[in-house]
Amino acid sequence: IPLAKVSPMRRISPLWLIPLVTLLVGVWMVYDNWSKQGPLITIEFSTAQGLQEGVTKIKTREVDVGQVEKITLNSDLNGVLVTARLNNEFRDLLREESRFWVVQPTISLSGVSGLGTLMTGQYIWLSPAKSGKEVSHFRGLDSPPLTPMNTPGLHLTLTTDGDFSFAKGDLIHYKGI
């Protein structure tokens, strides 16, 4: 009977390099994806009418800056919490005074607005603030503001005790202007 030749085994087989390299590439891909993810924010609205998870966009100046990820009822059950993720390059837009509202078609005495949403669907508009501390929780407006932030000019508050009342968006004329 021939005798078996005993030789020392190599320490590590070169085949083990394949799973090791695969694991390193997988870890790098997960880290790269995580590091490029934008901030997650929450916006409180009174209703979620027209908003859809994974569909509704967040825009500013007609540029998509984020997307709605989740919509839930708030803890008091008197509104909704919209969780959205902004693109990483727009992180600096999230300041205390930033304002959000849902753009939807409206018809009023002062005009027609938001007709583009009939084709594209409703979206959330972001009016960014230039200063203030960075935050991640916002209170959404029920309707768009009458004037954009930092609009120059005279801002008046009209009040009345009589039967005559003003409505948001009513035109005001002074000496024919």
Side-chain angles (χ1 to χ4, degrees):
I1 298 177
L3 293 172
K5 293 182 183 179
V6 178
S7 60
M9 197 168 113
R10 284 191 254 163
R11 290 187 174 147
I12 297 175
S13 171
L15 290 177
W16 281 104
L17 289 176
I18 294 171
L20 182 64
V21 169
T22 304
L23 177 67
L24 291 174
V25 168
V27 167
W28 176 80
M29 288 174 63
V30 167
Y31 170 75
D32 186 54
N33 185 28
W34 177 76
S35 67
K36 290 182 180 176
Q37 236 179 9
L40 193 64
I41 63 170
T42 55
I43 311 166
E44 263 187 80
F45 286 109
S46 57
T47 179
Q49 182 181 2
L51 302 179
Q52 296 178 8
E53 293 178 356
V55 176
T56 303
K57 304 283 185 196
I58 298 177
K59 296 183 177 190
T60 187
R61 299 187 189 268
E62 298 303 329
V63 174
D64 290 348
V65 296
Q67 185 170 348
V68 171
E69 288 190 355
K70 186 176 173 185
I71 302 171
T72 58
L73 291 172
N74 66 9
S75 60
D76 298 338
L77 301 176
N78 61 357
V80 295
L81 282 176
V82 175
T83 304
R85 184 162 310 272
L86 260 60
N87 301 341
N88 199 30
E89 60 266 22
F90 302 110
R91 179 181 300 271
D92 293 337
L93 301 178
L94 302 173
R95 303 287 174 199
E96 279 180 309
E97 299 299 318
S98 295
R99 298 185 285 184
F100 294 85
W101 64 89
V102 178
V103 176
Q104 52 193 350
T106 56
I107 299 172
S108 66
L109 294 174
S110 60
V112 177
S113 66
L115 288 182
T117 60
L118 293 175
M119 300 300 284
T120 62
Q122 295 181 14
Y123 55 89
I124 297 174
W125 189 268
L126 162 62
S127 176
K130 297 185 191 279
S131 61
K133 70 178 186 176
E134 194 171 315
V135 294
S136 62
H137 184 81
F138 300 91
R139 177 92 178 120
L141 303 175
D142 290 330
S143 60
L146 293 176
T147 58
M149 265 210 279
N150 302 322
T151 302
L154 179 63
H155 296 268
L156 302 172
T157 302
L158 302 175
T159 57
T160 180
D161 290 330
D163 294 336
F164 181 75
S165 62
F166 302 104
K168 201 170 196 178
D170 283 350
L171 296 176
I172 299 172
H173 295 276
Y174 177 72
K175 295 186 177 179
I177 298 174

